[in-house]
Amino acid sequence: MLTSILIYIFFLASAPLFIGVVNKLKSRLTGRTGPSLFQPYYDLRRLLRKETIYATSASIISRIAPVIGFVSLLFAGMILPIGFYKPLISFDGDIILFAYLFGLARFFQILGAMDIGSSFEGMGAAREATFAVFAEPIYFFTLGSLAFIFGCTSMYEIFHSISLNNPAFLVFISVASISVFFLMITETSRMPVDDPNTHLELTMIHEVMILDNSGLDLFLYQYTSYLKILIYATFTSNFFNPFNVQNHYLGFSIYIMIIFILIVNLVWIETMMGRFKLKSIPQYLLFAASIGILNILVYSFFNK
Amino acid sequence: MENVLNILFCLTLLYLGTTTRIMAYLNVFVTQGILLFVILILPLFNKFSAYTFILPVMILAVKAVLIPIFIKRKIMLELEVRKSIESDFQQFNFLLLCVFTMITVFVSANMLAKYTLIDSIPFAAAFSTIIIGLYIIIFRKKLIVHVIGFLVMENGIFLLGVSIASEMPFLIELISLLDIFVAVFLMGIAINKISSTFAVDDITGLDELKD
Amino acid sequence: MNILYLLSGLPLASGALFFTFNNLKVKYRLSIFTAGTHLIITYLLFAGFIAPPQNAWFNFDSLTKLFLMILSNVFFWVTANSYKYIKHSPIEKIEKSRQIFYNMTNLYLFANTLALISNHLGLYWVALESTTLCVAPLIYFYRDKESLEAMWKYLFLVSVGLAFAFIGILFLTLSAHGTEFMDNALYITVLVSGASKLNLIWLKAGFIFIFVGLSAKIGIAPIHPGEVDAVSNSPSPVAALISASLGGTALMGVLRILQILSWTSLLQFAQILLIIGGTVSLAVALIFMFRVTNYKRMIAYSSVEHMGIVLIGFGIGGIALTGALLHLIFNSLNKTAFFFMAGNIHRNYKSREIGRIYSLLNNLRWTGILFLISFLAVIAMPPFGLFFSELMLLQGLIANNQFVLMTFIIILLLFIFIGMSRNVFRMLYRTTDKSTRTFNEHFEFSHLSAIVLLCILAGLGIFIPEPLAKIISDVTRLFVHGI
């Protein structure tokens, strides 16, 4: 129990570091020196010192939305298994809780964005809501097929009852991780779904929703987004855990390694690809969902 | 292991439903050829005789090398084919249709597997390849894509033959492979002529012969 | 064994040989020699004078002999007449097409013979696909826009159809799983003898796929456009070959499956499918006969109609089966003569439109008369054989108490007659003021062959010689037996 709490605190503390590494690598890859590895920490500290200003047309929603988002993601992080350590919250059916904690955070972010009354945020909120519709099935089909095969519905149980003696499972899992990678890219608004660097109206989905927030609110939103990407990266890395190994320390170092490989992947994709046309993003997401559907079809019949 | 290859096959089909580039269609076809080669080689690991290796090697040679080279050279380079824009059918709906088809095929294959003796996954993978090849022929406008859809359908038929484990003599498979190659050859020549005669390389010009 | 070599090897050898030189006249003479030899051997087989070779891969039963005779006959007459059509065709820029014409025709004969005599379904499929590949360049003979489109449609539609037929063949193999002849499951004789042990689900699925797939090649609805377009845009010899012989070869595949099915309880189902397919073809032929503006297309739709009648005959069974077989023979004879005359008209009037043809009886005396007689034969006027075969079909319908269907078919045939005669009589009798060219017609070899063919047609209608009667009763016995 104590180790789980320690690991969780480490997890929370290293969320900005993840983004720091991603930004640094991206700049290196494009020939720049780039910001320091700890730049997100400095940004967060700067934001804490600023004053929080609310628009005159804002209501109570604008005050509570960032907090709700932050807290839901904190809880979602507690459900996630990191390496081999048992997560803080683990019960049957927590995969659904995980999905809907994210849903709650997203819902309040959208509400908060629309609350301000500017059309910019409304546009971002609309796009966010649309893509969320297509992104939900990915999660449910992928994790649902896993739950179906292994017969348990707790995330920790699922990822720890996979045994890799059947090579078919190996392929299945690597293929499922592609879906989840797509999901990660969509939910955290990286390329090719959204460009985190430009702040042009054409390309904004997430950054536009927080345009009018400042100070503590912006701190909470930024930290939430860092946490979100780390949570998704950890979730993806769970697909690759060598499940036969039971040593905790080995599991943890493998976790770090896989996270790093994911960072490299992410950076490579961000640098190499341009952004998709907005109208082809649903199709991109449907492709990821259909991989999940295919897995369900195959393995549900295969395991009878 | 065979099931894994069949699932990879289905994944390539899903990719066919998503992409819009013609070169991607060709690459998917090459990948399917390589997958077929591996599927054929797998049961032969114990018995290494030169005779049984002929068919897989021929398949690899024709499907993964000869036909793509022919299509690339003869058609892509000679015509001014816009390699990226492909058709104006709703891409999203096409992928949705493909997914529904796969669901239907897998479910019915499973029901069939209860009554007759077939393996459900290879059969379903092969049958969905055939149907998606047919969809490509029906729903696309460019002629080269029609040809590639036909080739994908033939891939599916071949996979069906392999999965049913019928004792189709190698000679027949070989000659049918040759037949398909010659058919594609003829189609390629026809496409070139059509492009130069009608000045457009999709089927919008081919509607004069009707009553 | 040497019969086999002569029958199939000779066309293959001459087809391959023709690629080495270019002299049209020499090619023509060699082709006639090949066709003649083929005809003689086939006739000897047909009449029972020589015994067929025994080989697991090849099957020489009565069905094969009948179809071989049809093919050989049509091919001989087509080759004998082809020189005129190829040498002096209306469009001049087709030198290359001329060079490959005889090559492709001989290769076509080889592939078609192989398909007819094969006992192995895989070999049959391969040979059938090869006939498509041989015929496609022939369709493109005139090298213009329409023939290009026709060739593409034919090649593509038929290839996709044959792919479906291949799926059906695979299902047939699947139906033999678990039986003791699993390893030999593609040999037709093996399938026929073991038909009672086959799995019915897969047999049904196989039949459906093969029927739908081969219907693209036979040229019946709903996949008839491939064949109709191909026939209406190619030179007359090629058109005669496609509509008279190629449809028969594809039909033989369906008949073999029917033969297998006749030993099982699925025969009813198959017959219903055949009747539906035939009736829909008749209806389609009717609809388009009124809209057609191209006389070769009109003849092509008449082919669709007759193939539909043949299918209905096979669907009804009994005496209608005999009628259907006779109908196949008569149809091939008739279409060949019809297409020769159509080719003559095209050569002289330089157009395929019905609207441009006028006063056929006055201008081209012989062609006009023979065209008229062929038309009368095609609509089943006695004493031509088609009348008697259609009569047998109607007799079969009555014997099965299918009065509604019979009335429907009679009405369809009546209206097809009306539509077709409208066009034909317009061509024959219409006069126009702006006739700017003069025609002079001599009595040519094509007229002679048409006369011979029509006389055979009339003769066979009245009196069926002994070998033919024996073969037909043998074939009937293949399909009708106690289950």
Side-chain angles (χ1 to χ4, degrees):
Chain A
M1 185 67 181
L2 189 60
T3 20
S4 300
I5 296 184
L6 280 177
I7 292 291
Y8 181 64
I9 294 180
F10 169 76
F11 180 75
L12 288 184
S14 56
L17 184 59
F18 185 88
I19 283 290
V21 175
V22 167
N23 284 336
K24 182 82 173 172
L25 269 185
K26 242 182 25 176
S27 341
R28 281 291 175 175
L29 218 53
T30 48
R32 302 176 277 135
T33 313
S36 129
L37 275 180
F38 299 102
Q39 185 62 34
Y41 290 106
Y42 302 146
D43 281 336
L44 287 176
R45 197 177 61 182
R46 168 179 56 98
L47 283 174
L48 271 179
R49 287 203 299 254
K50 303 267 184 171
E51 178 190 358
T52 311
I53 298 186
Y54 294 104
T56 46
S57 53
S59 67
I60 184 105
I61 301 281
S62 297
R63 286 158 178 86
I64 65 176
V67 180
I68 292 187
F70 177 64
V71 169
S72 3
L73 278 194
L74 278 184
F75 276 108
M78 288 190 208
I79 303 181
L80 200 62
I82 303 170
F84 271 112
Y85 297 98
K86 200 165 160 57
L88 286 172
I89 304 178
S90 172
F91 54 92
D92 267 340
D94 60 11
I95 50 176
I96 305 196
L97 181 65
F98 186 75
Y100 283 108
L101 279 174
F102 273 98
L104 189 70
R106 192 185 312 126
F107 177 64
F108 272 98
Q109 190 173 21
I110 292 180
L111 273 189
M114 294 202 307
D115 186 51
I116 297 188
S118 155
S119 50
F120 259 159
E121 282 89 349
M123 173 191 83
R127 287 179 184 171
E128 169 79 10
T130 315
F131 294 150
V133 166
F134 293 108
E136 284 281 309
I138 303 179
Y139 175 81
F140 277 113
F141 278 123
T142 312
L143 216 50
S145 56
L146 275 179
F148 202 73
I149 296 175
F150 299 114
C152 36
T153 47
S154 158
M155 208 180 268
Y156 178 68
E157 299 290 327
I158 290 177
F159 284 118
H160 284 256
S161 55
I162 305 177
S163 57
L164 281 182
N165 43 13
N166 193 343
F169 282 145
L170 183 66
V171 174
F172 162 62
I173 286 179
S174 2
V175 161
S177 68
I178 300 180
S179 291
V180 179
F181 193 70
F182 281 11
L183 180 63
M184 173 168 106
I185 291 180
T186 312
E187 288 276 347
T188 55
S189 65
R190 315 299 298 179
M191 295 280 234
V193 169
D194 184 13
D195 194 344
N197 280 340
T198 69
H199 290 271
L200 307 171
E201 178 181 326
L202 202 58
T203 63
M204 291 194 288
I205 301 179
H206 271 101
E207 311 86 48
V208 73
M209 291 198 283
I210 55 177
L211 268 184
D212 274 321
N213 295 308
S214 51
L216 188 61
D217 285 347
L218 195 55
F219 166 80
L220 287 176
Y221 271 134
Q222 289 276 43
Y223 186 70
T224 310
S225 73
Y226 298 154
L227 197 56
K228 211 192 247 192
I229 193 169
L230 186 60
I231 289 182
Y232 270 111
T234 312
F235 180 55
T236 313
S237 76
N238 271 320
F239 279 90
F240 292 108
N241 268 331
F243 303 106
N244 292 333
V245 173
Q246 289 300 324
N247 188 348
H248 279 209
Y249 297 120
L250 188 56
F252 191 70
S253 34
I254 290 182
Y255 161 71
I256 299 284
M257 213 164 50
I258 296 179
I259 291 279
F260 191 68
I261 296 178
L262 273 177
I263 290 182
V264 169
N265 254 347
L266 196 62
V267 167
W268 183 257
I269 291 180
E270 291 230 348
T271 320
M272 288 295 147
M273 291 185 75
R275 212 196 72 154
F276 285 162
K277 288 195 243 190
L278 268 186
K279 67 174 181 192
S280 47
I281 293 182
Q283 178 189 326
Y284 175 72
L285 294 173
L286 182 62
F287 178 62
S290 52
I291 296 182
I293 297 180
L294 182 65
N295 280 329
I296 287 192
L297 281 178
V298 167
Y299 282 96
S300 65
F301 296 128
F302 183 58
N303 259 9
K304 275 236 174 83
Chain B
M1 192 57 194
E2 227 183 50
N3 286 340
V4 173
L5 292 168
N6 287 315
I7 295 168
L8 288 179
F9 216 86
C10 289
L11 279 179
T12 57
L13 288 180
L14 285 177
Y15 185 59
L16 268 183
T18 323
T19 185
T20 48
R21 296 180 303 130
I22 300 185
M23 288 306 286
Y25 273 75
L26 210 54
N27 290 338
V28 165
F29 179 64
V30 171
T31 318
Q32 285 186 342
I34 298 178
L35 279 176
L36 275 178
F37 173 68
V38 177
I39 290 182
L40 276 177
I41 293 264
L42 270 184
L44 295 181
F45 268 137
N46 299 330
K47 352 177 194 146
F48 268 116
S49 76
Y51 176 64
T52 48
F53 255 106
I54 294 182
L55 182 62
V57 169
M58 279 291 295
I59 288 196
L60 187 69
V62 171
K63 287 197 196 225
V65 174
L66 282 181
I67 292 187
I69 287 184
F70 171 67
I71 293 187
K72 258 189 233 178
R73 241 194 287 147
K74 264 241 153 204
I75 301 182
M76 299 287 206
L77 297 184
E78 283 192 14
L79 313 175
E80 300 293 318
V81 173
R82 288 182 299 163
K83 299 183 189 165
S84 61
I85 312 291
E86 207 262 356
S87 78
D88 47 21
F89 178 77
Q90 285 278 6
Q91 267 293 68
F92 182 72
N93 298 342
F94 188 70
L95 185 58
L96 212 54
L97 183 65
C98 288
V99 171
F100 276 132
T101 311
M102 272 200 191
I103 293 177
T104 319
V105 167
F106 269 86
V107 168
S108 27
N110 206 49
M111 286 199 295
L112 275 175
K114 291 207 187 89
Y115 297 115
T116 57
L117 8 118
I118 51 167
D119 310 322
S120 61
I121 294 186
F123 181 80
F127 214 74
S128 42
T129 315
I130 294 174
I131 297 190
I132 290 187
L134 205 57
Y135 282 159
I136 295 179
I137 296 180
I138 298 177
F139 290 118
R140 299 297 186 203
K141 282 178 27 170
K142 278 208 185 313
L143 291 173
I144 309 162
V145 181
H146 280 192
V147 174
I148 297 185
F150 174 68
L151 287 171
V152 167
M153 204 163 92
E154 289 287 337
N155 263 352
I157 295 177
F158 194 80
L159 200 60
L160 194 66
V162 165
S163 77
I164 292 182
S166 63
E167 290 305 309
M168 188 81 78
F170 280 156
L171 199 60
I172 300 292
E173 299 268 0
L174 222 58
I175 300 187
S176 70
L177 200 63
L178 232 57
D179 260 341
I180 291 165
F181 182 61
V182 176
V184 170
F185 191 71
L186 277 181
M187 286 184 197
I189 297 181
I191 290 183
N192 275 341
K193 293 250 163 39
I194 289 182
S195 288
S196 52
T197 323
F198 287 91
V200 68
D201 57 351
D202 47 27
I203 59 172
T204 49
L206 293 182
D207 57 359
E208 296 193 9
L209 288 183
K210 58 180 180 211
D211 298 313
Chain C
M1 213 38 190
N2 36 7
I3 305 279
L4 202 61
Y5 288 149
L6 267 182
L7 209 54
S8 52
L10 192 54
L12 176 65
S14 46
L17 181 65
F18 286 171
F19 277 105
T20 58
F21 62 92
N22 266 339
N23 190 339
L24 206 59
K25 199 117 188 137
V26 174
K27 281 194 199 180
Y28 172 58
R29 298 217 171 100
L30 274 178
S31 296
I32 293 194
F33 169 68
T34 312
T37 323
H38 198 263
L39 183 62
I40 294 176
I41 299 178
T42 313
Y43 180 68
L44 291 177
L45 268 178
F46 184 76
F49 290 132
I50 45 181
Q54 300 294 329
N55 189 344
W57 285 85
F58 301 110
N59 180 11
F60 279 93
D61 66 357
S62 334
L63 195 60
T64 312
K65 287 186 197 163
L66 186 66
F67 275 88
L68 263 183
M69 195 69 210
I70 296 179
L71 166 70
S72 207
N73 192 24
V74 168
F75 189 77
F76 176 71
W77 289 107
V78 161
T79 315
N81 277 302
S82 56
Y83 191 65
K84 256 287 163 24
Y85 294 101
I86 308 302
K87 188 83 179 144
H88 305 292
S89 55
I91 306 166
E92 285 309 317
K93 60 170 169 120
I94 48 175
E95 186 50 45
K96 205 147 170 259
S97 311
R98 283 201 199 116
Q99 286 170 7
I100 61 167
F101 182 80
Y102 285 110
N103 315 356
M104 286 301 163
T105 351
N106 280 320
L107 287 177
Y108 164 79
L109 181 64
F110 163 67
N112 213 345
T113 315
L114 202 64
L116 286 176
I117 63 179
S118 77
N119 190 24
H120 188 271
L121 278 176
L123 185 61
Y124 172 75
W125 185 86
V126 165
L128 210 53
E129 176 82 18
S130 317
T131 59
T132 315
L133 299 175
C134 295
V135 159
L138 290 176
I139 300 176
Y140 187 45
F141 188 80
Y142 287 127
R143 311 246 153 181
D144 60 359
K145 257 177 148 189
E146 277 116 15
S147 33
L148 184 58
E149 182 184 337
M151 168 180 144
W152 172 260
K153 273 193 189 160
Y154 183 74
L155 186 60
F156 207 73
L157 272 179
V158 170
S159 297
V160 172
L162 281 181
F164 263 80
F166 198 72
I167 301 177
I169 293 180
L170 285 177
F171 282 162
L172 275 184
T173 324
L174 201 54
S175 71
H177 257 198
T179 59
E180 71 267 3
F181 48 87
M182 202 169 91
D183 289 336
N184 292 339
L186 277 179
Y187 291 98
I188 297 182
T189 40
V190 170
L191 275 174
V192 168
S193 58
S196 43
K197 307 196 192 86
L198 296 175
N199 185 336
L200 286 183
I201 301 181
W202 292 119
L203 201 53
K204 206 183 215 183
F207 175 73
I208 296 179
F209 270 94
I210 291 183
F211 180 57
V212 169
L214 285 182
S215 69
K217 193 132 181 89
I218 306 175
I220 51 178
I223 321 180
H224 62 283
E227 203 225 357
V228 165
D229 286 342
V231 159
S232 55
N233 282 303
S234 49
S236 305
V238 177
L241 273 182
I242 295 179
S243 80
S245 59
L246 201 47
T249 312
L251 191 61
M252 187 159 124
V254 181
L255 291 181
R256 289 289 184 204
I257 309 296
L258 201 62
Q259 187 184 351
I260 299 173
L261 282 183
S262 64
W263 288 102
T264 68
S265 56
L266 286 178
L267 186 60
Q268 199 88 13
F269 167 74
Q271 284 178 333
I272 294 179
L273 264 191
L274 286 177
I275 296 179
I276 294 179
T279 323
V280 171
S281 308
L282 274 183
V284 162
L286 165 66
I287 295 173
F288 283 107
M289 198 65 86
F290 278 97
R291 303 186 40 147
V292 83
T293 54
N294 173 345
Y295 52 88
K296 278 195 180 168
R297 223 169 153 78
M298 176 181 79
I299 305 177
Y301 278 118
S302 154
S303 273
V304 171
E305 167 206 348
H306 286 296
M307 280 301 172
I309 295 179
V310 168
L311 276 185
I312 296 180
F314 275 107
I316 303 288
I319 190 169
L321 201 107
T322 319
L325 288 169
L326 286 174
H327 202 90
L328 266 175
I329 305 175
F330 298 149
N331 180 48
S332 67
L333 292 170
N334 195 6
K335 283 290 158 15
T336 318
F338 220 162
F339 272 114
F340 286 159
M341 294 304 113
N344 273 345
I345 300 177
H346 187 199
R347 198 154 31 102
N348 282 307
Y349 282 85
K350 308 243 184 306
S351 158
R352 290 198 196 107
E353 306 278 319
I354 294 182
R356 302 247 183 100
I357 315 289
Y358 49 88
S359 304
L360 203 53
L361 278 181
N362 279 337
N363 291 340
L364 303 175
R365 181 120 232 146
W366 283 105
T367 307
I369 294 181
L370 287 170
F371 194 72
L372 177 62
I373 299 182
S374 307
F375 162 69
L376 290 178
V378 119
I379 57 162
M381 180 88 74
F384 294 107
L386 284 161
F387 170 73
F388 296 101
S389 56
E390 281 184 20
L391 202 61
M392 280 193 225
L393 171 73
L394 296 174
Q395 273 179 314
L397 277 169
I398 294 180
N400 271 13
N401 295 331
Q402 305 276 3
F403 293 112
V404 176
L405 189 59
M406 185 185 86
T407 324
F408 191 51
I409 291 177
I410 293 181
I411 294 180
L412 285 175
L413 288 176
L414 171 68
F415 277 97
I416 292 178
F417 159 64
I418 294 178
M420 202 162 165
S421 57
R422 221 175 49 140
N423 292 325
V424 168
F425 286 127
R426 202 188 300 163
M427 281 167 56
L428 291 175
Y429 289 110
R430 193 173 66 103
T431 55
T432 171
D433 302 325
K434 42 184 172 62
S435 64
T436 51
R437 50 180 133 213
T438 56
F439 304 91
N440 43 359
E441 172 99 84
H442 305 294
F443 184 73
E444 299 172 331
F445 185 57
S446 59
H447 300 129
L448 179 63
S449 17
I451 291 182
V452 170
L453 285 170
L454 289 170
C455 285
I456 299 180
L457 189 59
L460 279 181
I462 306 175
F463 164 73
I464 299 191
E466 175 61 34
L468 184 58
K470 183 170 172 310
I471 296 251
I472 289 190
S473 64
D474 275 343
V475 171
T476 323
R477 225 172 305 136
L478 282 178
F479 292 99
V480 179
H481 30 246
I483 294 185

